[in-house]
Structure formats: structure tokens, C-alpha cells
């Protein structure tokens, strides 16, 4: 336990507010965690899985009404409503505190208050930041212990400093009508009530590492982004790092752990995973942009994860993992989800807790947003730089979304500002990662629509500013789309491991070693610039997904014009100029 006065004062305040029967400080020891796992199994909060097949693994089911992030109940509470911007819900901070404290008051009665000191980023890294989360959920403690670095070592690094983030989580009655996920960027405060699901309650993740951190980044000249980080090693042993921002459930974990196609592996190419969801990036002493992954584990989408699509993710879940809302196979006490294999269990319990026969049932065994919480160190391709306190240098930044039409497989922006424009016009079909309709096209600039803690127009301005700070050392910016569909609704690009073929072109472009054709939207590879060796794909299809459809893009510019209106005079002039430039080039 710490002697930090600011921490102790806040914990005292929380005790008085929440009225727990007892207070437990999480020290990060295996002993303490093991005792908590036992307790959670005794109360039914978690189910211990087959120790031989899945050592140290557990299953947890949330309430049926608590299975994803709730964007309509997520708020930015800053003094001036204008600072939250058009893409966020806003509440007045004083009113929000009052309402949330009223909801949480006394709700720990008869329960334990767990105090979790945690570091986002390697403990002691100059790029890392520290938070405290109080919670009444063992599930949260155990997940935070996988997803972040927790315990005494963190408190030692913090010392007497007041530079830390407050996080209050209270399960209350898990009442969806009283569920609120609130952020106070001006106070470094997060309050989450009436949920017990992932992104709503593991406060280090989306709440801190993106919503609060994006605001801090703007104030302190760095960037907090919804990006994976991966290293690509060539046969000479040189490693180049790229980051990629895709919206939720659009392929970050898959790309981050990709296994190159056989022809590349034979030549000696390798991919190393640094992170699968969040990147914190800052200008380094050498002038380049350096990135760390603030997390310590993967909170990955389970459905669709299998031996073929993502063997590294699957391997990561084989020990010390918590599964949430997947099916329980009663025959051998293991787990199953749609897309794991073609052999669903007959004797099983579905994610809702009901008996389930996977061979006969038309219902899903696992929720589409069911997840695994796996320690990063389990990943067979984890980067040797994963714990590096200085991070890795970024050569390229990739944007991407789920677009059935219009957006080609890959293109390179004309320059940094044009790249910022490319990120700002990102649109993607919605997924099960948030509640609401799935498959609806919506704008999701830089994949940050649900995660930007301040005015999105100012955020664009911050990107433009970072370009000035980085100058000619700025990473090159690209856009990809793995999700083009043909007339029959089939994916036109094989995706997954074969995405390496696109990464190769991207890296070569960064090194000035690959050709491209200039189009109105940016630089595209010629079909012959994408290596199809060992791939059963016809040139015609590749040509189609490497074509810029003038008509569709002209319609897109009209749509962007409309969308940009929501930012009013906060839209940087640079982006307005980029849009005009695109319109002109398309009209030629
Ligand atoms: P969050 O954890 O929500 O941020 O999601 P994510 O961006 O990490 O997405 P993830 O890698 O878990 O992939 C989500 C879904 O997209 C899975 O069902 C994958 O099977 C599918 N997917 C991922 N990569 C590809 C791809 O290259 N092609 C196709 N067709 N599907 C993909
Ligand atoms: C996402 O939705 O982008 C996730 C899952 O990574 S959650 O932690 O729930 O936000
Ligand atoms: Mn995510």
C-alpha cells in the first residue's frame, strides 16, 4: 500500500461514498490473484476450465444486457459543451459527478472494494502513465491484471506524484437504464456505473488509454490512437514497424499477429506483434515517431478466431486466459465459439447459460462480441521490444475500415496532411463491438469516433500539428480495405495472412523501392506490384479492387462535404483544402 497523499485521500473519499465492508489493495502477487480466482469460482462469477487443456483459464458470463460498449451512454464531461464536439455525448461535470455519486453511493455495502494501482505502458517508461481503479468486481481485478501492469511496483514508480488517473467502477445493479460511462478529461477522472463488461469497466483500456489519453496527448504533443503496432522483419533481419487504425472488430488483432504466407516465410520474412489495439506515440530523440503499446494483454474478439485465421491469437488463449460470453463444452470443460472449428459441441452451455446443442441449435453458442483476455507474453510472435521503455520507431501509419464498395485494397496518401484527410474520411460498417445495429456504414475518423476524448475537429488539428512537429521524419500514411465484396457478397480479397502481401508493398513504398500509379485519391499499386505467389487469385479480381471508381468517389466527396459540416469552424483549413483538391482531381 502506498503513502501517496493524493491517492490515500481519494481512496478515503471512495470508502465514504461506496461504503464497502472491506478494502483490498491489489499488490500484483500471484498468491493474491489465485485467492481471488478461487473466490470467484466459489461464487459462480467464474468457471474454472480444464486444467490440462487450458491451464489457468476461466469462463465468465455477463448479463445478457451487458455484452458490449454502450456508446449512447458514454459521455465526455468537460466544462464547455463545445469542447466535447459533435461526435461525443456531453454532460456538465458538476451535474455528472452528482448523478454518478448518487447512483454509486453505498453500492459496495456488503461487498469488497478492490484498489488496483496500474500502469499503462511498461512500468517506469517515460511514455507510461499510472492509474488507480476501484471496483467491486473480482472479474475486473483479474482482467486488469492481465490487460495492464498492476501492483506494488507501480506504486513505487508513482511515489508522491499527483500525476495519476482516477477510475471509479461500481457494478451497482447492472441496470442498463442507469448505465453511464463518464470521462472528465479536465480532472483525469473516469466513472463507470451499472456495467460489468470489458470496454465499459476495464478503465485502463478505452476510457483511460484512449479517451483521457487522447486529450492528454493534445495538451502534451503526443498521440493516443486506436492502433495495433507490428514489426515486419525482412530476410536480412531488419525490422520496420507500422501502426494501423481500424474500427472495432475490423481486424486489428488479426493483422497484429499475422503469419506471412508460406512463400514469404521460406524467404525469412517474419511478423512481430507489439500491440493489437492501442498505440501511444511521441516524437523521439532522433526526431522519428516512437510507439508503445500501453496494454499488457489482448482483449480479443473470440468468434472467427481459429487455427487458420489467427493461430497466434488462438495460441495466446491456451493458458492464463479469461473467456467472456463464449460457449462451455461440457464434454471436456473447454470453450467453443462460432468459427473455432467445424465441430460444435453437442453437450454445451451457451453464452446465456442455457443448455445448448451446437449440432442442432440455430442459436449462437457464443455472443458475436464474446472475448478472450489473454496475457501478451503468451503470444508466439510477441515482439522482443514489447517491454521496451522507449517503444519502437514507426515507418508507416495505416488506416482502414470495413467497406463493401468504393475503397480500394490499398492506397498511399500524397503526403502527411493528405494522410490526415484520408484518416478523417474513414467510414466503416458497424460491428457487434458496440450495442446497436450491425453493418451500417458510419463515419469513424481514424477509428476514434467512439474514443476521442475531445472535439474531433481539434483532434484533426492535432494530427496536422503532429505533422509539423515530425516534419520530413513523419511516417508515411496509407489506407487499406480487406472487406470489398463481389456481386455474390463474397470477400474479393483473401485477407488474414495474405494481408502481408499488402504490407510488403507498404514497406517498399516507405523505402522508395516500389512503384505506384497516381490517382485522384492517392498512390495505388499496379496489380503486378502486389505479389500473388502461392495465392489462388485471378488478376481480374485484383484489378477490380485496385481501381478508383470516379463516380463512386465523386459521390463520396459530396458525402464528406456534408459530414465535414458537423465540425463547423473547428475543421482545419488544411482538410478543407484537401477535400477541394480531391474534388478537382476527380473532375479532371
Ligand atoms: P477490437 O478488439 O474490437 O478493436 O477488434 P479488432 O480490430 O482487433 O478486430 P479482430 O482482429 O478481432 O477481427 C474482427 C473480425 O474481423 C473477426 O471476425 C475476423 O475474422 C475478421 N477479420 C479480421 N481480419 C480480416 C481479413 O483480413 N479479412 C476478412 N474478411 N475478415 C477479417
Ligand atoms: C473495441 O471495441 O474496440 C475493443 C473492445 O477493443 S472494448 O474493450 O470493449 O472496447
Ligand atoms: Mn479496439
Amino acid at each position: 500500500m502506498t503513502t501517496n497523499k493524493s491517492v490515500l485521500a481519494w481512496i478515503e473519499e471512495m470508502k465514504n461514498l461506496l461504503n464497502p465492508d472491506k478494502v483490498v489493495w491489489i499488490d500484483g502477487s500471484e498468491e493474491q490473484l489465485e485467492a481471488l480466482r478461487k473466490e470467484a469460482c466459489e461464487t459462480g462469477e467464474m468457471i474454472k476450465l480444464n486444467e490440462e487443456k487450458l491451464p489457468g483459464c476461466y469462463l465468465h458470463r455477463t448479463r445478457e444486457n451487458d455484452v458490449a460498449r454502450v456508446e449512447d451512454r458514454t459521455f465526455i464531461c468537460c466544462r464547455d459543451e463545445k469542447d466535447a464536439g459533435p461526435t461525443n455525448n456531453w454532460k456538465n461535470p458538476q451535474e455528472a459527478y452528482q448523478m454518478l455519486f448518487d447512483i454509486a453511493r453505498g453500492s459496495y455495502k456488503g461487498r469488497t472494494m478492490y484498489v488496483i494501482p496500474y500502469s499503462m505502458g511498461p512500468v517506469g517508461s517515460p511514455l507510461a502513465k499510472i492509474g488507480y481503479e476501484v471496483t467491486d468486481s473480482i472479474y475486473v481485478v483479474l482482467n486488469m491484471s492481465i490487460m495492464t501492469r498492476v501492483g506494488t511496483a507501480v506504486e513505487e514508480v508513482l511515489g508522491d506524484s499527483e500525476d495519476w488517473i482516477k477510475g471509479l467502477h461500481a457494478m451497482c445493479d447492472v441496470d442498463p437504464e442507469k448505465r453511464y460511462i463518464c470521462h472528465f478529461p479536465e480532472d483525469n477522472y473516469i466513472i463507470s456505473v451499472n456495467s460489468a463488461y470489458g470496454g465499459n469497466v476495464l478503465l485502463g483500456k478505452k476510457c483511460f488509454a484512449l479517451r483521457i489519453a487522447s486529450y492528454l496527448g493534445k495538451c502534451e504533443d503526443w498521440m493516443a490512437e486506436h492502433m495495433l503496432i507490428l514489426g515486419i522483419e525482412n530476410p536480412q533481419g531488419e525490422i520496420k514497424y507500422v501502426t494501423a487504425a481500424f474500427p472495432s472488430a475490423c481486424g486489428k488483432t488479426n493483422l497484429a499477429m499475422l503469419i506471412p504466407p508460406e512463400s514469404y516465410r521460406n524467404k525469412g520474412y517474419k511478423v512481430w506483434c507489439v500491440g493489437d489495439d492501442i498505440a501511444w506515440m511521441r516524437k523521439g530523440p532522433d526526431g522519428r515517431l516512437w510507439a508503445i503499446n500501453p496494454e499488457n494483454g489482448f482483449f480479443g474478439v473470440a468468434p472467427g478466431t481459429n487455427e487458420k485465421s489467427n493461430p497466434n491469437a488462438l495460441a495466446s488463449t491456451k493458458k492464463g486466459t479469461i473467456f467472456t460470453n463464449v460457449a462451455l463444452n461440457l464434454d471436456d470443460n473447454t470453450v467453443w465459439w462460432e468459427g473455432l472449428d467445424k465441430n460444435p459441441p453437442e453437450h454445451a452451455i451457451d453464452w446465456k447459460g442455457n443448455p445448448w446443442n451446437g449440432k442442432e441449435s440455430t442459436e449462437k453458442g457464443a455472443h458475436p462480441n464474446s472475448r478472450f483476455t489473454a496475457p501478451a507474453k503468451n503470444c508466439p510472435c510477441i515482439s522482443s521490444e514489447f517491454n521496451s521503455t522507449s517503444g519502437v520507431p514507426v515507418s508507416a501509419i495505416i488506416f482502414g475500415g470495413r467497406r463493401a464498395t468504393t475503397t480500394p485494397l490499398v492506397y498511399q496518401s500524397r503526403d502527411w496532411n493528405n494522410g490526415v484527410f484520408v484518416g478523417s474520411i474513414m467510414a466503416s460498417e458497424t460491428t457487434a463491438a458496440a450495442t446497436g445495429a450491425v453493418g451500417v456504414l458510419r463515419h469513424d475518423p481514424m477509428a476514434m469516433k467512439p474514443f476521442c476524448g475531445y472535439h474531433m475537429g481539434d483532434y484533426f488539428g492535432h494530427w496536422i500539428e503532429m505533422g509539423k512537429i515530425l516534419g520530413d521524419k513523419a511516417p508515411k500514411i496509407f489506407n487499406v480495405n480487406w472487406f470489398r465484396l463481389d456481386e455474390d457478397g463474397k470477400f474479393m480479397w483473401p485477407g488474414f495472412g495474405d494481408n502481408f502481401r499488402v504490407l510488403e508493398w507498404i514497406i517498399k513504398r516507405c523505402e522508395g523501392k516500389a512503384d505506384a500509379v497516381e490517382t485522384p485519391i492517392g498512390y495505388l499499386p499496379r496489380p503486378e506490384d502486389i505479389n500473388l505467389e502461392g495465392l489462388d487469385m485471378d488478376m481480374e479480381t485484383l484489378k477490380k479492387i485496385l481501381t478508383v471508381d470516379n463516380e463512386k468517389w465523386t459521390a463520396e466527396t459530396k458525402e464528406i462535404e456534408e459530414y465535414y459540416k458537423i465540425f463547423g469552424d473547428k475543421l482545419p483549413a488544411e482538410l478543407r483544402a484537401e477535400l477541394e483538391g480531391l474534388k478537382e482531381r476527380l473532375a479532371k
Side-chain angles (χ1 to χ4, degrees):
M1 208 181 101
T2 182
T3 54
N4 181 307
K5 286 203 184 74
S6 59
V7 172
L8 292 174
W10 182 65
I11 296 300
E12 200 50 35
E13 206 182 294
M14 289 298 100
K15 258 172 33 189
N16 292 333
L17 174 76
L18 301 161
N19 196 20
D21 278 15
K22 103 181 164 186
V23 179
V24 170
W25 288 71
I26 299 305
D27 59 19
S29 70
E30 182 49 33
E31 241 180 328
Q32 189 184 44
L33 293 174
E34 189 53 27
L36 289 172
R37 291 181 198 116
K38 283 225 169 69
E39 191 181 333
C41 288
E42 276 159 24
T43 60
E45 193 177 347
M46 296 207 307
I47 295 164
K48 170 108 182 84
L49 297 168
N50 186 319
E51 181 60 24
E52 248 141 64
K53 293 186 176 170
L54 296 168
C57 293
Y58 296 82
L59 169 66
H60 172 80
R61 297 187 199 105
T62 65
R63 302 275 177 95
E64 275 178 52
N65 65 27
D66 191 28
V67 293
R69 283 182 294 99
V70 280
E71 296 181 3
D72 55 334
R73 309 197 67 89
T74 298
F75 293 85
I76 300 300
C77 310
C78 46
R79 282 185 294 272
D80 188 342
E81 179 171 6
K82 285 205 274 315
D83 291 336
T87 59
N88 281 313
N89 302 310
W90 174 84
K91 272 189 194 300
N92 169 287
Q94 290 322 316
E95 285 167 25
Y97 281 126
Q98 180 81 53
M99 177 192 74
L100 296 163
F101 288 154
D102 284 348
I103 291 172
R105 185 165 293 115
S107 71
Y108 283 19
K109 175 119 194 67
R111 310 176 58 79
T112 301
M113 173 163 108
Y114 299 97
V115 179
I116 316 169
Y118 66 95
S119 172
M120 297 313 289
V123 179
S125 161
L127 296 158
K129 290 197 177 277
I130 287 171
Y132 274 81
E133 176 167 354
V134 297
T135 179
D136 54 343
S137 156
I138 295 182
Y139 172 75
V140 168
V141 173
L142 296 175
N143 273 275
M144 283 293 284
S145 304
I146 297 171
M147 293 306 296
T148 74
R149 285 111 170 146
V150 305
T152 317
V154 177
E155 304 202 292
E156 276 162 18
V157 166
L158 183 66
D160 293 332
S161 167
E162 292 181 15
D163 185 12
W164 55 277
I165 274 76
K166 300 180 176 105
L168 159 58
H169 168 240
M171 285 200 290
C172 304
D173 306 316
V174 199
D175 176 356
E177 301 299 319
K178 291 188 189 150
R179 186 169 297 155
Y180 293 100
I181 321 298
C182 293
H183 308 73
F184 304 78
E186 290 150 353
D187 305 340
N188 285 335
Y189 210 145
I190 304 157
I191 303 179
S192 163
V193 293
N194 276 297
S195 175
Y197 167 79
N200 298 331
V201 298
L202 309 178
L203 301 185
K205 195 174 176 62
K206 297 299 159 74
C207 300
F208 176 1
L210 287 179
R211 297 197 189 96
I212 298 285
S214 60
Y215 177 74
L216 292 173
K218 174 187 167 283
C219 302
E220 301 166 359
D221 286 344
W222 55 283
M223 310 167 90
E225 300 295 334
H226 192 199
M227 290 178 177
L228 66 92
I229 311 167
L230 67 80
I232 299 160
E233 181 173 337
N234 70 14
Q236 290 74 49
E238 295 154 356
I239 306 181
K240 290 260 158 68
Y241 295 90
V242 307
T243 65
F246 309 155
S248 301
C250 289
K252 287 184 301 301
T253 302
N254 275 273
L255 190 68
M257 300 178 192
L258 149 164
I259 295 183
E262 199 186 343
S263 57
Y264 285 95
R265 291 202 306 275
N266 291 343
K267 285 180 207 140
Y269 284 97
K270 288 178 190 140
V271 164
W272 300 107
C273 173
V274 182
D276 81 324
D277 199 49
I278 299 176
W280 283 2
M281 305 188 288
R282 201 184 273 266
K283 180 177 165 174
D286 63 357
R288 289 187 293 174
L289 187 65
W290 288 71
I292 62 161
N293 170 11
E295 302 192 279
N296 201 25
F298 309 117
F299 188 61
V301 179
T305 306
N306 61 53
E307 200 46 68
K308 257 194 87 192
S309 67
N310 195 345
N312 285 324
L314 195 62
S316 306
T317 68
K318 293 298 179 193
K319 56 182 185 212
T321 293
I322 300 172
F323 297 92
T324 302
N325 293 340
V326 300
L328 174 65
N329 182 345
L330 293 173
D331 286 335
D332 63 354
N333 198 30
T334 58
V335 287
W336 194 85
W337 51 76
E338 278 66 27
L340 173 63
D341 54 40
K342 296 205 169 76
N343 189 27
E346 280 174 86
H347 309 109
I349 306 283
D350 68 10
W351 70 272
K352 297 176 178 171
N354 299 319
W356 184 72
N357 181 339
K359 295 255 176 355
E360 284 174 6
S361 178
T362 52
E363 302 268 300
K364 281 193 172 15
H367 187 274
N369 191 38
S370 55
R371 299 258 167 178
F372 53 80
T373 317
K377 63 172 188 284
N378 284 1
C379 182
C381 66
I382 198 73
S383 162
S384 59
E385 301 305 305
F386 177 75
N387 284 312
S388 158
T389 51
S390 48
V392 296
V394 181
S395 297
I397 292 174
I398 305 171
F399 293 120
R402 200 177 269 271
R403 291 294 302 265
T405 65
T406 317
T407 311
L409 176 65
V410 57
Y411 65 101
Q412 182 184 0
S413 70
R414 300 162 66 86
D415 54 26
W416 178 272
N417 281 358
N418 181 244
V420 178
F421 171 74
V422 168
S424 78
I425 65 167
M426 266 172 71
S428 191
E429 288 135 29
T430 51
T431 65
T435 55
V438 166
V440 182
L441 189 67
R442 75 160 183 187
H443 285 279
D444 192 349
M446 283 86 169
M448 283 290 276
K449 149 100 180 57
F451 308 120
C452 182
Y454 62 103
H455 196 298
M456 186 71 80
D458 290 333
Y459 168 80
F460 294 157
H462 180 51
W463 267 84
I464 300 282
E465 196 53 38
M466 286 303 297
K468 290 182 193 146
I469 290 173
L470 295 163
D472 61 1
K473 296 228 170 93
K476 303 274 182 282
I477 300 181
F478 297 80
N479 194 85
V480 299
N481 177 21
W482 316 137
F483 299 95
R484 279 286 284 273
L485 298 179
D486 64 13
E487 294 81 18
D488 304 325
K490 286 214 192 66
F491 289 117
M492 295 169 82
W493 173 251
F496 301 98
D498 287 310
N499 292 333
F500 190 84
R501 301 171 191 276
V502 173
L503 291 181
E504 185 194 24
W505 181 76
I506 287 175
I507 291 297
K508 280 192 173 159
R509 285 295 294 171
C510 294
E511 295 171 336
K513 289 183 190 157
D515 275 336
V517 279
E518 190 175 348
T519 76
I521 65 170
Y523 302 100
L524 263 76
R526 297 167 307 175
E528 59 268 33
D529 295 327
I530 301 290
N531 176 9
L532 294 187
E533 189 188 346
L535 184 62
D536 182 23
M537 182 179 185
D538 62 272
M539 262 302 185
E540 278 316 299
T541 309
L542 183 62
K543 264 184 202 155
K544 273 190 203 153
I545 57 178
L546 285 178
T547 303
V548 178
D549 182 325
N550 214 291
E551 221 169 277
K552 285 210 169 75
W553 272 95
T554 303
E556 191 92 358
T557 55
K558 299 213 169 88
E559 220 281 311
I560 298 163
E561 187 112 47
E562 274 309 301
Y563 179 63
Y564 267 4
K565 282 183 186 158
I566 69 170
F567 303 110
D569 57 10
K570 293 267 197 187
L571 185 80
E574 289 87 346
L575 295 191
R576 166 81 44 213
E578 287 297 334
L579 177 57
E580 291 311 316
L582 175 58
K583 277 169 29 189
E584 269 165 38
R585 291 191 297 275
L586 283 165
K588 261 193 209 144

